[in-house]
Amino acid sequence: MENPPVTDFATDWDHTDPAWVHDPYPIWDDLRQRCPVAHTDRYGGAWFPATHAGVSAVAQDTEHFTSRTVVLGNGRPLEDAPPAPIGVAPPITSDPPFHTIARRLILPAFAPGPVRALEPRVRELCRRLLDDLGDATEFDAATQYAQFIPPGVIVRMLGFPEADEDVFRDFIHVVLEGVNHPVEERIEEFAPIEAYITAQIEDHRAHPRDDLTSYLLGVEVGGQPLAPEHVFGTIILVLIAGIDTTWSAIGSALWHLASHPDDLARLREDPDLMPIAVEEFLRFYAPVTMARLVKRDVEFLGCPMREDDWVLLGFPAANRDPEVFPDADRFVIDRLENRHLAFGLGIHRCAGSNLARMEMRVALEEFLARFPRVELVDPEAVTWSQGQVRGPRRLPVRVVPA
Amino acid sequence: MKVTIDAARCQGHGRCFNLAPDVFGFDELGNGVVLVASPPDDRAERLARLAQVNCPEHAIDIEE
Ligand code: HEM
């Protein structure tokens, strides 16, 4: 289902509009100068702050904005929505005080120590994927490389069968790119994965082991085990939050390197620059946009926001704000001062950020070690996702001989 | 120089302990902690300042 074309992004924006999907940056630059909070009557009413200050103010304010749902769509989930399509996925869809508890539970699994321990397995996975490419001189760096890395990691963390990695990629596509499908259709799309995860949970309940799923089944809060919906919701969350996002981030970085030989050469010659470069990839190609619902009528950022209006939290737009970043629209591979918001801000800061950074760094290091020189086969053949996660979905590259 | 982290602001972005691992560490939740409140040399001081300007939550305070 296609929405009608946008007349003016300041008063009628739509993040699924082809112009926004293809190249949102000039649109956001224009909005920053003109608004800076854009409005639309679509989706039942929604706001879009285009500045770093506006995005920060909303992200930090859990009194006026709820995370009950973070994917902008046509419907509004009820206050006590059942775990319908990514309805209840704690902690991302929780507000304080429950959020604090749900978040604390999972943070230790994603802290720097456990993430470092995973690094050799991620490296091995990347090398295996590169081996699988054989002598190919042309291949798709998104669908034949980047796409397989995050599911491989998450499926291991959860202790699901490794052969099932591709089940998740397909499913996540459905959830994140189907924002315009009617709610009933989305519930239907969701059914097979729900059955799959339920079966995995039952298997872990019967045979506990050392993984995140067993941890969630065994952990207690105030002497009580987690509710089954909580365990289920958190598993769904790490699958969704961990896969499409990171795949997109790796893909965007590879797209950049394949189309900017100077930056590729710089990383080849100075591999120590990688952690700094990863932050600039995150700033410049921030893949994730979130949403909030307005809790009750409020005047915010000078706008008359009504209860149940959406606010689209454009972390990628905040990252291009010239008020905060000199030369904001230029990719500066050694940008040292880089207070970007790619992982959000405030109490919902991406719980997986240590993991995501490590995956990006290792994926790029291994790729460059194998293919020191690559270029795009055809810039026009590259396609980008629509929805709240942005990244290349087709990325044909050619290996260039030294 | 005296370095502190405001624990009420810190959300565990991890920029500090990645940029200045001699000055900052992390707790079991991944939130930042100060390891060395008075960095011993110019290099450590420079990295502490770099961590400060990269903290998304503005949680690092430095007294010169
Ligand atoms: C480059 C890759 C990634 C990006 C850009 C990213 C971005 C984000 C953002 C912006 C948020 C904030 C949500 C909000 O404010 O509503 C978030 C939350 C979250 N992310 Fe990520 N993410 C990435 C990878 C991951 C990975 C690999 C995992 C774990 C496997 C993960 C797990 C989570 C979780 C659990 C939350 C919810 C935290 C909470 O609500 O307290 N993310 N992510």
Side-chain angles (χ1 to χ4, degrees):
Chain A
M1 186 166 74
E2 292 256 327
N3 292 350
V6 166
T7 50
D8 178 354
F9 281 97
T11 54
D12 179 39
W13 63 265
D14 190 332
H15 62 310
T16 67
D17 187 86
W20 182 304
V21 172
H22 177 68
D23 187 11
Y25 306 107
I27 298 174
W28 298 339
D29 282 340
D30 174 55
L31 292 178
R32 261 192 297 275
Q33 283 168 26
R34 281 203 290 153
C35 303
V37 183
H39 182 262
T40 186
D41 288 329
R42 297 168 192 242
Y43 305 102
W47 304 89
F48 178 76
T51 60
H52 193 280
V55 171
S56 301
V58 176
Q60 296 283 12
D61 188 331
T62 53
E63 191 177 323
H64 296 104
F65 304 97
T66 169
S67 284
R68 204 161 82 232
T69 173
V70 288
V71 181
L72 193 156
N74 286 315
R76 298 286 189 284
L78 301 172
E79 202 89 44
D80 53 353
I86 59 170
V88 178
I92 211 168
T93 51
S94 322
D95 294 325
F98 182 70
H99 170 267
T100 316
I101 299 166
R103 178 173 170 90
R104 259 192 106 87
L105 283 176
I106 60 164
L107 283 180
F110 297 98
V115 166
R116 267 174 213 169
L118 274 172
E119 183 168 331
R121 306 186 72 169
V122 176
R123 208 170 280 286
E124 185 194 305
L125 170 66
C126 293
R127 287 187 183 159
R128 203 185 70 216
L129 291 169
L130 293 164
D131 288 345
D132 287 349
L133 292 170
D135 302 330
T137 51
E138 281 189 19
F139 57 90
D140 192 310
T143 59
Q144 289 178 267
Y145 182 62
Q147 187 174 37
F148 292 100
I149 298 164
V153 179
I154 293 291
V155 160
R156 268 167 233 206
M157 283 188 85
L158 287 169
F160 291 3
E162 290 181 17
D164 295 344
E165 286 162 20
D166 46 339
V167 175
F168 299 108
R169 272 197 334 273
D170 296 349
F171 150 66
I172 283 150
H173 244 60
V174 168
V175 172
L176 290 173
E177 300 208 12
V179 290
N180 261 325
H181 301 179
V183 175
E184 310 77 62
E185 222 169 89
R186 304 204 70 195
I187 291 174
E188 215 169 284
E189 291 164 347
F190 191 72
I193 194 74
E194 188 168 336
Y196 175 88
I197 291 172
T198 305
Q200 290 299 327
I201 291 177
E202 284 321 309
D203 189 53
H204 278 75
R205 212 186 280 285
H207 311 284
R209 42 219 180 214
D210 182 18
D211 56 35
L212 190 55
T213 306
S214 294
Y215 165 77
L216 291 169
L217 288 168
V219 76
E220 293 191 345
V221 176
Q224 298 289 324
L226 301 185
E229 311 86 78
H230 187 158
V231 174
F232 181 88
T234 298
I235 289 175
I236 286 284
L237 171 58
V238 295
L239 285 168
I240 294 177
I243 297 183
D244 214 36
T245 52
T246 315
W247 165 36
S248 299
I250 297 169
S252 296
L254 290 173
W255 177 82
H256 181 92
L257 293 173
S259 46
H260 298 79
D262 294 358
D263 286 332
L264 183 59
R266 184 79 194 274
L267 275 183
R268 210 164 45 225
E269 282 146 28
D270 183 4
D272 291 345
L273 189 59
M274 189 60 90
I276 298 286
V278 163
E279 299 305 326
E280 182 68 346
F281 286 127
L282 283 164
R283 180 188 76 88
F284 207 75
Y285 300 103
V288 177
T289 294
M290 283 287 145
R292 300 286 188 264
L293 283 173
V294 177
K295 274 195 195 169
R296 53 179 178 278
D297 294 6
V298 61
E299 170 97 10
F300 202 88
L301 302 171
C303 304
M305 299 188 178
R306 285 164 315 154
E307 180 176 342
D308 272 354
D309 279 353
W310 293 101
V311 180
L312 193 64
L313 267 186
F315 298 118
N319 284 353
R320 298 294 189 103
D321 187 342
E323 285 281 314
V324 177
F325 304 98
D327 267 335
D329 275 326
R330 207 159 62 82
F331 182 92
V332 181
I333 197 162
D334 55 0
R335 190 184 285 271
L336 278 181
E337 188 170 339
N338 194 348
R339 215 172 229 144
H340 68 77
L341 301 186
F343 291 118
L345 197 69
I347 63 166
H348 292 280
R349 182 272 307 171
C350 177
S353 62
N354 298 304
L355 179 61
R357 284 195 171 96
M358 183 270 279
E359 288 183 46
M360 285 177 71
R361 178 172 51 76
V362 172
L364 295 176
E365 282 170 359
E366 292 302 320
F367 189 92
L368 292 190
R370 191 70 55 102
F371 302 115
R373 290 175 183 78
V374 286
E375 63 187 15
L376 297 180
V377 172
D378 168 15
E380 299 302 313
V382 178
T383 60
W384 295 80
S385 56
Q386 77 157 32
Q388 286 178 223
V389 176
R390 179 176 168 79
R393 292 297 174 259
R394 289 275 171 278
L395 183 57
V397 296
R398 179 184 303 123
V399 180
V400 182
Chain B
M1 176 185 274
K2 185 161 180 291
V3 183
T4 49
I5 290 181
D6 181 348
R9 282 179 170 263
C10 174
Q11 297 289 351
H13 289 259
R15 301 297 297 279
C16 59
F17 54 75
N18 284 323
L19 283 164
D22 296 341
V23 180
F24 302 95
F26 46 84
D27 64 16
E28 76 285 358
L29 298 179
N31 288 331
V33 294
V34 176
L35 296 177
V36 183
S38 302
D41 51 41
D42 283 359
R43 184 174 172 277
E45 286 196 350
R46 193 169 44 81
L47 291 177
R49 278 191 208 97
L50 190 60
Q52 183 187 32
V53 297
N54 277 286
C55 175
E57 308 285 349
H58 297 258
I60 299 172
D61 190 51
I62 294 184
E63 242 176 72
E64 295 291 341

